[in-house]
Amino acid sequence: DIQMTQSPSSLSASVGDRVTITCRASQSISSYLNWYQQKPGKAPKLLIYAASSLQSGVPSRFSGSGSGTDFTLTISSLQPEDFATYYCQQSYSTPHFGPGTKVDIK
Amino acid sequence: QVQLVESGGGLVKPGGSLRLSCAASGFTFSDYYMSWIRQAPGKGLEWVSYISSSSSYTNYADSVKGRFTISRDNAKNSLYLQMNSLRAEDTAVYYCASTQWLAAYNWFDPWGQGTLVTVSS
């Protein structure tokens, strides 16, 4: 199985900050990497698919990059509604999610 | 609009069984792979199972293989998860999700609101 790690596990940031979350796969997964946002008590929501494609309706401040084993999710200017937990997920083989990164208010 | 609504969760004793359902609307259900994904309280996401659009292909996480069975009824726009020999570690919110494909890429979207399964004596 391909395992996923994320860093940091949590971070504190202010509105307007640029935030970067890293996801690493235990072996190369090309661009088979998706990002989700989850708010407390809610279902996850797709943000980015195929490493860098923005899902329809998702604000353009979200972007994804990377290929192979190393990937990043960037929020260019953090907004109040972006405080949430973010998960990466590989779709190269049997689906696996990263452990999540919680973004909270500084 | 596209909607997935899970039901069937509840409290069950260890070793017991439960059947979850997911009702789909707003899209052509029979065209899409469907998946179950779970989240233990305060924990991360764990993929459980998926089924192809025509039910010809299924796959399971090792943690549930041999105990859980995924199925669907395209005439009823419904997805199911039969869970047997339940264990405390199966306690989680269970989400159904549609699996979208673009060439070889795939992702989970949209998701239902989830249904809570609690396994406890």
mmCIF file with all atom_site columns, all heavy atoms in Angstrom, chain B residues 94-119:
data_model
loop_
_atom_site.group_PDB
_atom_site.id
_atom_site.type_symbol
_atom_site.label_atom_id
_atom_site.label_alt_id
_atom_site.label_comp_id
_atom_site.label_asym_id
_atom_site.label_entity_id
_atom_site.label_seq_id
_atom_site.pdbx_PDB_ins_code
_atom_site.Cartn_x
_atom_site.Cartn_y
_atom_site.Cartn_z
_atom_site.occupancy
_atom_site.B_iso_or_equiv
_atom_site.pdbx_formal_charge
_atom_site.auth_seq_id
_atom_site.auth_comp_id
_atom_site.auth_asym_id
_atom_site.auth_atom_id
_atom_site.pdbx_PDB_model_num
ATOM 1   N N   . TYR B 1 94  ? -19.909 7.029  8.529   1.00 0.00 ? 94  TYR B N   1
ATOM 2   C CA  . TYR B 1 94  ? -19.741 6.421  7.214   1.00 0.00 ? 94  TYR B CA  1
ATOM 3   C C   . TYR B 1 94  ? -20.339 7.348  6.155   1.00 0.00 ? 94  TYR B C   1
ATOM 4   O O   . TYR B 1 94  ? -21.511 7.717  6.238   1.00 0.00 ? 94  TYR B O   1
ATOM 5   C CB  . TYR B 1 94  ? -20.417 5.047  7.163   1.00 0.00 ? 94  TYR B CB  1
ATOM 6   C CG  . TYR B 1 94  ? -19.628 3.997  7.898   1.00 0.00 ? 94  TYR B CG  1
ATOM 7   C CD1 . TYR B 1 94  ? -19.595 3.974  9.293   1.00 0.00 ? 94  TYR B CD1 1
ATOM 8   C CD2 . TYR B 1 94  ? -18.897 3.032  7.210   1.00 0.00 ? 94  TYR B CD2 1
ATOM 9   C CE1 . TYR B 1 94  ? -18.849 3.021  9.980   1.00 0.00 ? 94  TYR B CE1 1
ATOM 10  C CE2 . TYR B 1 94  ? -18.150 2.075  7.880   1.00 0.00 ? 94  TYR B CE2 1
ATOM 11  C CZ  . TYR B 1 94  ? -18.128 2.077  9.252   1.00 0.00 ? 94  TYR B CZ  1
ATOM 12  O OH  . TYR B 1 94  ? -17.386 1.139  9.931   1.00 0.00 ? 94  TYR B OH  1
ATOM 13  N N   . TYR B 1 95  ? -19.499 7.726  5.199   1.00 0.00 ? 95  TYR B N   1
ATOM 14  C CA  . TYR B 1 95  ? -19.922 8.579  4.092   1.00 0.00 ? 95  TYR B CA  1
ATOM 15  C C   . TYR B 1 95  ? -20.006 7.763  2.803   1.00 0.00 ? 95  TYR B C   1
ATOM 16  O O   . TYR B 1 95  ? -19.137 6.924  2.545   1.00 0.00 ? 95  TYR B O   1
ATOM 17  C CB  . TYR B 1 95  ? -18.901 9.690  3.841   1.00 0.00 ? 95  TYR B CB  1
ATOM 18  C CG  . TYR B 1 95  ? -18.692 10.668 4.974   1.00 0.00 ? 95  TYR B CG  1
ATOM 19  C CD1 . TYR B 1 95  ? -17.600 10.558 5.820   1.00 0.00 ? 95  TYR B CD1 1
ATOM 20  C CD2 . TYR B 1 95  ? -19.564 11.743 5.156   1.00 0.00 ? 95  TYR B CD2 1
ATOM 21  C CE1 . TYR B 1 95  ? -17.385 11.470 6.833   1.00 0.00 ? 95  TYR B CE1 1
ATOM 22  C CE2 . TYR B 1 95  ? -19.359 12.666 6.171   1.00 0.00 ? 95  TYR B CE2 1
ATOM 23  C CZ  . TYR B 1 95  ? -18.271 12.516 7.004   1.00 0.00 ? 95  TYR B CZ  1
ATOM 24  O OH  . TYR B 1 95  ? -18.062 13.440 8.007   1.00 0.00 ? 95  TYR B OH  1
ATOM 25  N N   . CYS B 1 96  ? -21.022 8.037  2.005   1.00 0.00 ? 96  CYS B N   1
ATOM 26  C CA  . CYS B 1 96  ? -20.991 7.545  0.626   1.00 0.00 ? 96  CYS B CA  1
ATOM 27  C C   . CYS B 1 96  ? -20.536 8.700  -0.265  1.00 0.00 ? 96  CYS B C   1
ATOM 28  O O   . CYS B 1 96  ? -20.741 9.880  0.060   1.00 0.00 ? 96  CYS B O   1
ATOM 29  C CB  . CYS B 1 96  ? -22.327 6.991  0.167   1.00 0.00 ? 96  CYS B CB  1
ATOM 30  S SG  . CYS B 1 96  ? -23.652 8.189  -0.032  1.00 0.00 ? 96  CYS B SG  1
ATOM 31  N N   . ALA B 1 97  ? -19.877 8.361  -1.339  1.00 0.00 ? 97  ALA B N   1
ATOM 32  C CA  . ALA B 1 97  ? -19.362 9.370  -2.253  1.00 0.00 ? 97  ALA B CA  1
ATOM 33  C C   . ALA B 1 97  ? -19.361 8.824  -3.663  1.00 0.00 ? 97  ALA B C   1
ATOM 34  O O   . ALA B 1 97  ? -19.109 7.637  -3.888  1.00 0.00 ? 97  ALA B O   1
ATOM 35  C CB  . ALA B 1 97  ? -17.947 9.789  -1.851  1.00 0.00 ? 97  ALA B CB  1
ATOM 36  N N   . SER B 1 98  ? -19.639 9.697  -4.599  1.00 0.00 ? 98  SER B N   1
ATOM 37  C CA  . SER B 1 98  ? -19.531 9.339  -6.004  1.00 0.00 ? 98  SER B CA  1
ATOM 38  C C   . SER B 1 98  ? -18.069 9.436  -6.416  1.00 0.00 ? 98  SER B C   1
ATOM 39  O O   . SER B 1 98  ? -17.343 10.321 -5.945  1.00 0.00 ? 98  SER B O   1
ATOM 40  C CB  . SER B 1 98  ? -20.382 10.289 -6.834  1.00 0.00 ? 98  SER B CB  1
ATOM 41  O OG  . SER B 1 98  ? -20.201 10.057 -8.202  1.00 0.00 ? 98  SER B OG  1
ATOM 42  N N   . THR B 1 99  ? -17.630 8.524  -7.254  1.00 0.00 ? 99  THR B N   1
ATOM 43  C CA  . THR B 1 99  ? -16.264 8.544  -7.754  1.00 0.00 ? 99  THR B CA  1
ATOM 44  C C   . THR B 1 99  ? -16.278 9.091  -9.169  1.00 0.00 ? 99  THR B C   1
ATOM 45  O O   . THR B 1 99  ? -16.899 8.513  -10.055 1.00 0.00 ? 99  THR B O   1
ATOM 46  C CB  . THR B 1 99  ? -15.650 7.140  -7.723  1.00 0.00 ? 99  THR B CB  1
ATOM 47  O OG1 . THR B 1 99  ? -15.709 6.646  -6.377  1.00 0.00 ? 99  THR B OG1 1
ATOM 48  C CG2 . THR B 1 99  ? -14.208 7.181  -8.189  1.00 0.00 ? 99  THR B CG2 1
ATOM 49  N N   . GLN B 1 100 ? -15.608 10.196 -9.340  1.00 0.00 ? 100 GLN B N   1
ATOM 50  C CA  . GLN B 1 100 ? -15.518 10.839 -10.653 1.00 0.00 ? 100 GLN B CA  1
ATOM 51  C C   . GLN B 1 100 ? -14.238 10.392 -11.356 1.00 0.00 ? 100 GLN B C   1
ATOM 52  O O   . GLN B 1 100 ? -13.212 10.206 -10.706 1.00 0.00 ? 100 GLN B O   1
ATOM 53  C CB  . GLN B 1 100 ? -15.512 12.358 -10.498 1.00 0.00 ? 100 GLN B CB  1
ATOM 54  C CG  . GLN B 1 100 ? -16.688 12.903 -9.703  1.00 0.00 ? 100 GLN B CG  1
ATOM 55  C CD  . GLN B 1 100 ? -17.999 12.775 -10.441 1.00 0.00 ? 100 GLN B CD  1
ATOM 56  O OE1 . GLN B 1 100 ? -18.035 12.900 -11.662 1.00 0.00 ? 100 GLN B OE1 1
ATOM 57  N NE2 . GLN B 1 100 ? -19.076 12.511 -9.704  1.00 0.00 ? 100 GLN B NE2 1
ATOM 58  N N   . TRP B 1 101 ? -14.307 10.254 -12.660 1.00 0.00 ? 101 TRP B N   1
ATOM 59  C CA  . TRP B 1 101 ? -13.139 9.821  -13.444 1.00 0.00 ? 101 TRP B CA  1
ATOM 60  C C   . TRP B 1 101 ? -12.863 10.822 -14.577 1.00 0.00 ? 101 TRP B C   1
ATOM 61  O O   . TRP B 1 101 ? -13.782 11.356 -15.184 1.00 0.00 ? 101 TRP B O   1
ATOM 62  C CB  . TRP B 1 101 ? -13.387 8.455  -14.083 1.00 0.00 ? 101 TRP B CB  1
ATOM 63  C CG  . TRP B 1 101 ? -13.408 7.335  -13.105 1.00 0.00 ? 101 TRP B CG  1
ATOM 64  C CD1 . TRP B 1 101 ? -14.458 6.927  -12.329 1.00 0.00 ? 101 TRP B CD1 1
ATOM 65  C CD2 . TRP B 1 101 ? -12.336 6.443  -12.785 1.00 0.00 ? 101 TRP B CD2 1
ATOM 66  N NE1 . TRP B 1 101 ? -14.097 5.856  -11.543 1.00 0.00 ? 101 TRP B NE1 1
ATOM 67  C CE2 . TRP B 1 101 ? -12.804 5.534  -11.810 1.00 0.00 ? 101 TRP B CE2 1
ATOM 68  C CE3 . TRP B 1 101 ? -11.012 6.322  -13.238 1.00 0.00 ? 101 TRP B CE3 1
ATOM 69  C CZ2 . TRP B 1 101 ? -12.000 4.521  -11.282 1.00 0.00 ? 101 TRP B CZ2 1
ATOM 70  C CZ3 . TRP B 1 101 ? -10.216 5.309  -12.713 1.00 0.00 ? 101 TRP B CZ3 1
ATOM 71  C CH2 . TRP B 1 101 ? -10.712 4.418  -11.748 1.00 0.00 ? 101 TRP B CH2 1
ATOM 72  N N   . LEU B 1 102 ? -11.576 11.048 -14.826 1.00 0.00 ? 102 LEU B N   1
ATOM 73  C CA  . LEU B 1 102 ? -11.133 11.794 -15.999 1.00 0.00 ? 102 LEU B CA  1
ATOM 74  C C   . LEU B 1 102 ? -9.875  11.085 -16.489 1.00 0.00 ? 102 LEU B C   1
ATOM 75  O O   . LEU B 1 102 ? -8.844  11.134 -15.812 1.00 0.00 ? 102 LEU B O   1
ATOM 76  C CB  . LEU B 1 102 ? -10.839 13.255 -15.648 1.00 0.00 ? 102 LEU B CB  1
ATOM 77  C CG  . LEU B 1 102 ? -10.338 14.116 -16.807 1.00 0.00 ? 102 LEU B CG  1
ATOM 78  C CD1 . LEU B 1 102 ? -11.440 14.219 -17.874 1.00 0.00 ? 102 LEU B CD1 1
ATOM 79  C CD2 . LEU B 1 102 ? -9.952  15.503 -16.328 1.00 0.00 ? 102 LEU B CD2 1
ATOM 80  N N   . ALA B 1 103 ? -9.987  10.424 -17.620 1.00 0.00 ? 103 ALA B N   1
ATOM 81  C CA  . ALA B 1 103 ? -8.914  9.527  -18.084 1.00 0.00 ? 103 ALA B CA  1
ATOM 82  C C   . ALA B 1 103 ? -8.651  8.536  -16.945 1.00 0.00 ? 103 ALA B C   1
ATOM 83  O O   . ALA B 1 103 ? -9.570  7.897  -16.472 1.00 0.00 ? 103 ALA B O   1
ATOM 84  C CB  . ALA B 1 103 ? -7.686  10.322 -18.480 1.00 0.00 ? 103 ALA B CB  1
ATOM 85  N N   . ALA B 1 104 ? -7.419  8.435  -16.464 1.00 0.00 ? 104 ALA B N   1
ATOM 86  C CA  . ALA B 1 104 ? -7.099  7.483  -15.395 1.00 0.00 ? 104 ALA B CA  1
ATOM 87  C C   . ALA B 1 104 ? -7.203  8.106  -14.009 1.00 0.00 ? 104 ALA B C   1
ATOM 88  O O   . ALA B 1 104 ? -7.057  7.417  -13.004 1.00 0.00 ? 104 ALA B O   1
ATOM 89  C CB  . ALA B 1 104 ? -5.689  6.939  -15.601 1.00 0.00 ? 104 ALA B CB  1
ATOM 90  N N   . TYR B 1 105 ? -7.469  9.409  -13.960 1.00 0.00 ? 105 TYR B N   1
ATOM 91  C CA  . TYR B 1 105 ? -7.569  10.095 -12.671 1.00 0.00 ? 105 TYR B CA  1
ATOM 92  C C   . TYR B 1 105 ? -8.955  9.885  -12.076 1.00 0.00 ? 105 TYR B C   1
ATOM 93  O O   . TYR B 1 105 ? -9.945  9.826  -12.792 1.00 0.00 ? 105 TYR B O   1
ATOM 94  C CB  . TYR B 1 105 ? -7.290  11.587 -12.837 1.00 0.00 ? 105 TYR B CB  1
ATOM 95  C CG  . TYR B 1 105 ? -5.892  11.877 -13.323 1.00 0.00 ? 105 TYR B CG  1
ATOM 96  C CD1 . TYR B 1 105 ? -5.650  12.135 -14.661 1.00 0.00 ? 105 TYR B CD1 1
ATOM 97  C CD2 . TYR B 1 105 ? -4.822  11.876 -12.438 1.00 0.00 ? 105 TYR B CD2 1
ATOM 98  C CE1 . TYR B 1 105 ? -4.375  12.391 -15.107 1.00 0.00 ? 105 TYR B CE1 1
ATOM 99  C CE2 . TYR B 1 105 ? -3.540  12.139 -12.878 1.00 0.00 ? 105 TYR B CE2 1
ATOM 100 C CZ  . TYR B 1 105 ? -3.317  12.386 -14.213 1.00 0.00 ? 105 TYR B CZ  1
ATOM 101 O OH  . TYR B 1 105 ? -2.049  12.634 -14.660 1.00 0.00 ? 105 TYR B OH  1
ATOM 102 N N   . ASN B 1 106 ? -9.040  9.776  -10.766 1.00 0.00 ? 106 ASN B N   1
ATOM 103 C CA  . ASN B 1 106 ? -10.340 9.684  -10.118 1.00 0.00 ? 106 ASN B CA  1
ATOM 104 C C   . ASN B 1 106 ? -10.306 10.362 -8.753  1.00 0.00 ? 106 ASN B C   1
ATOM 105 O O   . ASN B 1 106 ? -9.248  10.521 -8.159  1.00 0.00 ? 106 ASN B O   1
ATOM 106 C CB  . ASN B 1 106 ? -10.790 8.223  -9.998  1.00 0.00 ? 106 ASN B CB  1
ATOM 107 C CG  . ASN B 1 106 ? -9.898  7.412  -9.078  1.00 0.00 ? 106 ASN B CG  1
ATOM 108 O OD1 . ASN B 1 106 ? -10.092 7.370  -7.878  1.00 0.00 ? 106 ASN B OD1 1
ATOM 109 N ND2 . ASN B 1 106 ? -8.902  6.753  -9.651  1.00 0.00 ? 106 ASN B ND2 1
ATOM 110 N N   . TRP B 1 107 ? -11.479 10.765 -8.308  1.00 0.00 ? 107 TRP B N   1
ATOM 111 C CA  . TRP B 1 107 ? -11.588 11.465 -7.033  1.00 0.00 ? 107 TRP B CA  1
ATOM 112 C C   . TRP B 1 107 ? -12.997 11.302 -6.495  1.00 0.00 ? 107 TRP B C   1
ATOM 113 O O   . TRP B 1 107 ? -13.909 10.864 -7.201  1.00 0.00 ? 107 TRP B O   1
ATOM 114 C CB  . TRP B 1 107 ? -11.242 12.950 -7.202  1.00 0.00 ? 107 TRP B CB  1
ATOM 115 C CG  . TRP B 1 107 ? -12.043 13.646 -8.254  1.00 0.00 ? 107 TRP B CG  1
ATOM 116 C CD1 . TRP B 1 107 ? -13.245 14.292 -8.116  1.00 0.00 ? 107 TRP B CD1 1
ATOM 117 C CD2 . TRP B 1 107 ? -11.693 13.757 -9.647  1.00 0.00 ? 107 TRP B CD2 1
ATOM 118 N NE1 . TRP B 1 107 ? -13.665 14.783 -9.323  1.00 0.00 ? 107 TRP B NE1 1
ATOM 119 C CE2 . TRP B 1 107 ? -12.737 14.481 -10.272 1.00 0.00 ? 107 TRP B CE2 1
ATOM 120 C CE3 . TRP B 1 107 ? -10.611 13.313 -10.411 1.00 0.00 ? 107 TRP B CE3 1
ATOM 121 C CZ2 . TRP B 1 107 ? -12.706 14.774 -11.640 1.00 0.00 ? 107 TRP B CZ2 1
ATOM 122 C CZ3 . TRP B 1 107 ? -10.594 13.606 -11.768 1.00 0.00 ? 107 TRP B CZ3 1
ATOM 123 C CH2 . TRP B 1 107 ? -11.628 14.314 -12.366 1.00 0.00 ? 107 TRP B CH2 1
ATOM 124 N N   . PHE B 1 108 ? -13.187 11.625 -5.222  1.00 0.00 ? 108 PHE B N   1
ATOM 125 C CA  . PHE B 1 108 ? -14.477 11.458 -4.565  1.00 0.00 ? 108 PHE B CA  1
ATOM 126 C C   . PHE B 1 108 ? -15.222 12.797 -4.539  1.00 0.00 ? 108 PHE B C   1
ATOM 127 O O   . PHE B 1 108 ? -14.786 13.745 -3.915  1.00 0.00 ? 108 PHE B O   1
ATOM 128 C CB  . PHE B 1 108 ? -14.302 10.961 -3.128  1.00 0.00 ? 108 PHE B CB  1
ATOM 129 C CG  . PHE B 1 108 ? -13.551 9.658  -3.026  1.00 0.00 ? 108 PHE B CG  1
ATOM 130 C CD1 . PHE B 1 108 ? -12.350 9.586  -2.345  1.00 0.00 ? 108 PHE B CD1 1
ATOM 131 C CD2 . PHE B 1 108 ? -14.057 8.502  -3.615  1.00 0.00 ? 108 PHE B CD2 1
ATOM 132 C CE1 . PHE B 1 108 ? -11.659 8.391  -2.241  1.00 0.00 ? 108 PHE B CE1 1
ATOM 133 C CE2 . PHE B 1 108 ? -13.363 7.299  -3.525  1.00 0.00 ? 108 PHE B CE2 1
ATOM 134 C CZ  . PHE B 1 108 ? -12.170 7.255  -2.836  1.00 0.00 ? 108 PHE B CZ  1
ATOM 135 N N   . ASP B 1 109 ? -16.359 12.833 -5.236  1.00 0.00 ? 109 ASP B N   1
ATOM 136 C CA  . ASP B 1 109 ? -17.162 14.058 -5.270  1.00 0.00 ? 109 ASP B CA  1
ATOM 137 C C   . ASP B 1 109 ? -18.472 13.793 -5.979  1.00 0.00 ? 109 ASP B C   1
ATOM 138 O O   . ASP B 1 109 ? -18.456 13.247 -7.093  1.00 0.00 ? 109 ASP B O   1
ATOM 139 C CB  . ASP B 1 109 ? -16.414 15.166 -6.027  1.00 0.00 ? 109 ASP B CB  1
ATOM 140 C CG  . ASP B 1 109 ? -17.216 16.458 -6.080  1.00 0.00 ? 109 ASP B CG  1
ATOM 141 O OD1 . ASP B 1 109 ? -17.407 17.071 -4.999  1.00 0.00 ? 109 ASP B OD1 1
ATOM 142 O OD2 . ASP B 1 109 ? -17.675 16.819 -7.169  1.00 0.00 ? 109 ASP B OD2 1
ATOM 143 N N   . PRO B 1 110 ? -19.614 14.154 -5.354  1.00 0.00 ? 110 PRO B N   1
ATOM 144 C CA  . PRO B 1 110 ? -19.749 14.720 -4.015  1.00 0.00 ? 110 PRO B CA  1
ATOM 145 C C   . PRO B 1 110 ? -19.807 13.645 -2.936  1.00 0.00 ? 110 PRO B C   1
ATOM 146 O O   . PRO B 1 110 ? -19.721 12.454 -3.250  1.00 0.00 ? 110 PRO B O   1
ATOM 147 C CB  . PRO B 1 110 ? -21.095 15.445 -4.112  1.00 0.00 ? 110 PRO B CB  1
ATOM 148 C CG  . PRO B 1 110 ? -21.891 14.561 -5.016  1.00 0.00 ? 110 PRO B CG  1
ATOM 149 C CD  . PRO B 1 110 ? -20.915 14.030 -6.042  1.00 0.00 ? 110 PRO B CD  1
ATOM 150 N N   . TRP B 1 111 ? -19.953 14.097 -1.692  1.00 0.00 ? 111 TRP B N   1
ATOM 151 C CA  . TRP B 1 111 ? -20.089 13.221 -0.533  1.00 0.00 ? 111 TRP B CA  1
ATOM 152 C C   . TRP B 1 111 ? -21.467 13.420 0.093   1.00 0.00 ? 111 TRP B C   1
ATOM 153 O O   . TRP B 1 111 ? -22.028 14.512 0.028   1.00 0.00 ? 111 TRP B O   1
ATOM 154 C CB  . TRP B 1 111 ? -19.042 13.560 0.520   1.00 0.00 ? 111 TRP B CB  1
ATOM 155 C CG  . TRP B 1 111 ? -17.615 13.432 0.100   1.00 0.00 ? 111 TRP B CG  1
ATOM 156 C CD1 . TRP B 1 111 ? -17.003 13.996 -1.002  1.00 0.00 ? 111 TRP B CD1 1
ATOM 157 C CD2 . TRP B 1 111 ? -16.591 12.722 0.788   1.00 0.00 ? 111 TRP B CD2 1
ATOM 158 N NE1 . TRP B 1 111 ? -15.675 13.665 -1.020  1.00 0.00 ? 111 TRP B NE1 1
ATOM 159 C CE2 . TRP B 1 111 ? -15.393 12.894 0.061   1.00 0.00 ? 111 TRP B CE2 1
ATOM 160 C CE3 . TRP B 1 111 ? -16.557 11.955 1.963   1.00 0.00 ? 111 TRP B CE3 1
ATOM 161 C CZ2 . TRP B 1 111 ? -14.174 12.317 0.454   1.00 0.00 ? 111 TRP B CZ2 1
ATOM 162 C CZ3 . TRP B 1 111 ? -15.363 11.388 2.361   1.00 0.00 ? 111 TRP B CZ3 1
ATOM 163 C CH2 . TRP B 1 111 ? -14.182 11.579 1.612   1.00 0.00 ? 111 TRP B CH2 1
ATOM 164 N N   . GLY B 1 112 ? -21.976 12.375 0.739   1.00 0.00 ? 112 GLY B N   1
ATOM 165 C CA  . GLY B 1 112 ? -23.167 12.530 1.540   1.00 0.00 ? 112 GLY B CA  1
ATOM 166 C C   . GLY B 1 112 ? -22.823 13.157 2.878   1.00 0.00 ? 112 GLY B C   1
ATOM 167 O O   . GLY B 1 112 ? -21.656 13.465 3.154   1.00 0.00 ? 112 GLY B O   1
ATOM 168 N N   . GLN B 1 113 ? -23.836 13.328 3.725   1.00 0.00 ? 113 GLN B N   1
ATOM 169 C CA  . GLN B 1 113 ? -23.625 13.987 5.021   1.00 0.00 ? 113 GLN B CA  1
ATOM 170 C C   . GLN B 1 113 ? -23.109 13.018 6.078   1.00 0.00 ? 113 GLN B C   1
ATOM 171 O O   . GLN B 1 113 ? -22.657 13.449 7.133   1.00 0.00 ? 113 GLN B O   1
ATOM 172 C CB  . GLN B 1 113 ? -24.926 14.657 5.504   1.00 0.00 ? 113 GLN B CB  1
ATOM 173 C CG  . GLN B 1 113 ? -25.875 13.752 6.277   1.00 0.00 ? 113 GLN B CG  1
ATOM 174 C CD  . GLN B 1 113 ? -26.577 12.712 5.408   1.00 0.00 ? 113 GLN B CD  1
ATOM 175 O OE1 . GLN B 1 113 ? -26.518 12.759 4.185   1.00 0.00 ? 113 GLN B OE1 1
ATOM 176 N NE2 . GLN B 1 113 ? -27.273 11.779 6.064   1.00 0.00 ? 113 GLN B NE2 1
ATOM 177 N N   . GLY B 1 114 ? -23.193 11.729 5.793   1.00 0.00 ? 114 GLY B N   1
ATOM 178 C CA  . GLY B 1 114 ? -22.669 10.718 6.703   1.00 0.00 ? 114 GLY B CA  1
ATOM 179 C C   . GLY B 1 114 ? -23.717 10.153 7.650   1.00 0.00 ? 114 GLY B C   1
ATOM 180 O O   . GLY B 1 114 ? -24.730 10.794 7.956   1.00 0.00 ? 114 GLY B O   1
ATOM 181 N N   . THR B 1 115 ? -23.472 8.920  8.096   1.00 0.00 ? 115 THR B N   1
ATOM 182 C CA  . THR B 1 115 ? -24.308 8.275  9.095   1.00 0.00 ? 115 THR B CA  1
ATOM 183 C C   . THR B 1 115 ? -23.405 7.610  10.132  1.00 0.00 ? 115 THR B C   1
ATOM 184 O O   . THR B 1 115 ? -22.409 6.989  9.777   1.00 0.00 ? 115 THR B O   1
ATOM 185 C CB  . THR B 1 115 ? -25.278 7.258  8.459   1.00 0.00 ? 115 THR B CB  1
ATOM 186 O OG1 . THR B 1 115 ? -26.207 6.786  9.430   1.00 0.00 ? 115 THR B OG1 1
ATOM 187 C CG2 . THR B 1 115 ? -24.560 6.071  7.834   1.00 0.00 ? 115 THR B CG2 1
ATOM 188 N N   . LEU B 1 116 ? -23.738 7.782  11.402  1.00 0.00 ? 116 LEU B N   1
ATOM 189 C CA  . LEU B 1 116 ? -22.868 7.316  12.478  1.00 0.00 ? 116 LEU B CA  1
ATOM 190 C C   . LEU B 1 116 ? -23.181 5.875  12.847  1.00 0.00 ? 116 LEU B C   1
ATOM 191 O O   . LEU B 1 116 ? -24.344 5.530  13.116  1.00 0.00 ? 116 LEU B O   1
ATOM 192 C CB  . LEU B 1 116 ? -23.033 8.218  13.712  1.00 0.00 ? 116 LEU B CB  1
ATOM 193 C CG  . LEU B 1 116 ? -22.263 7.814  14.966  1.00 0.00 ? 116 LEU B CG  1
ATOM 194 C CD1 . LEU B 1 116 ? -20.755 7.838  14.719  1.00 0.00 ? 116 LEU B CD1 1
ATOM 195 C CD2 . LEU B 1 116 ? -22.634 8.728  16.136  1.00 0.00 ? 116 LEU B CD2 1
ATOM 196 N N   . VAL B 1 117 ? -22.149 5.063  12.877  1.00 0.00 ? 117 VAL B N   1
ATOM 197 C CA  . VAL B 1 117 ? -22.240 3.683  13.344  1.00 0.00 ? 117 VAL B CA  1
ATOM 198 C C   . VAL B 1 117 ? -21.432 3.570  14.633  1.00 0.00 ? 117 VAL B C   1
ATOM 199 O O   . VAL B 1 117 ? -20.249 3.905  14.648  1.00 0.00 ? 117 VAL B O   1
ATOM 200 C CB  . VAL B 1 117 ? -21.701 2.705  12.284  1.00 0.00 ? 117 VAL B CB  1
ATOM 201 C CG1 . VAL B 1 117 ? -21.628 1.288  12.840  1.00 0.00 ? 117 VAL B CG1 1
ATOM 202 C CG2 . VAL B 1 117 ? -22.558 2.760  11.027  1.00 0.00 ? 117 VAL B CG2 1
ATOM 203 N N   . THR B 1 118 ? -22.076 3.102  15.681  1.00 0.00 ? 118 THR B N   1
ATOM 204 C CA  . THR B 1 118 ? -21.405 2.919  16.966  1.00 0.00 ? 118 THR B CA  1
ATOM 205 C C   . THR B 1 118 ? -21.482 1.450  17.347  1.00 0.00 ? 118 THR B C   1
ATOM 206 O O   . THR B 1 118 ? -22.584 0.887  17.438  1.00 0.00 ? 118 THR B O   1
ATOM 207 C CB  . THR B 1 118 ? -22.056 3.772  18.070  1.00 0.00 ? 118 THR B CB  1
ATOM 208 O OG1 . THR B 1 118 ? -22.046 5.152  17.672  1.00 0.00 ? 118 THR B OG1 1
ATOM 209 C CG2 . THR B 1 118 ? -21.308 3.621  19.386  1.00 0.00 ? 118 THR B CG2 1
ATOM 210 N N   . VAL B 1 119 ? -20.325 0.838  17.545  1.00 0.00 ? 119 VAL B N   1
ATOM 211 C CA  . VAL B 1 119 ? -20.260 -0.567 17.928  1.00 0.00 ? 119 VAL B CA  1
ATOM 212 C C   . VAL B 1 119 ? -19.806 -0.629 19.383  1.00 0.00 ? 119 VAL B C   1
ATOM 213 O O   . VAL B 1 119 ? -18.670 -0.307 19.709  1.00 0.00 ? 119 VAL B O   1
ATOM 214 C CB  . VAL B 1 119 ? -19.294 -1.357 17.034  1.00 0.00 ? 119 VAL B CB  1
ATOM 215 C CG1 . VAL B 1 119 ? -19.327 -2.840 17.410  1.00 0.00 ? 119 VAL B CG1 1
ATOM 216 C CG2 . VAL B 1 119 ? -19.643 -1.158 15.571  1.00 0.00 ? 119 VAL B CG2 1
#
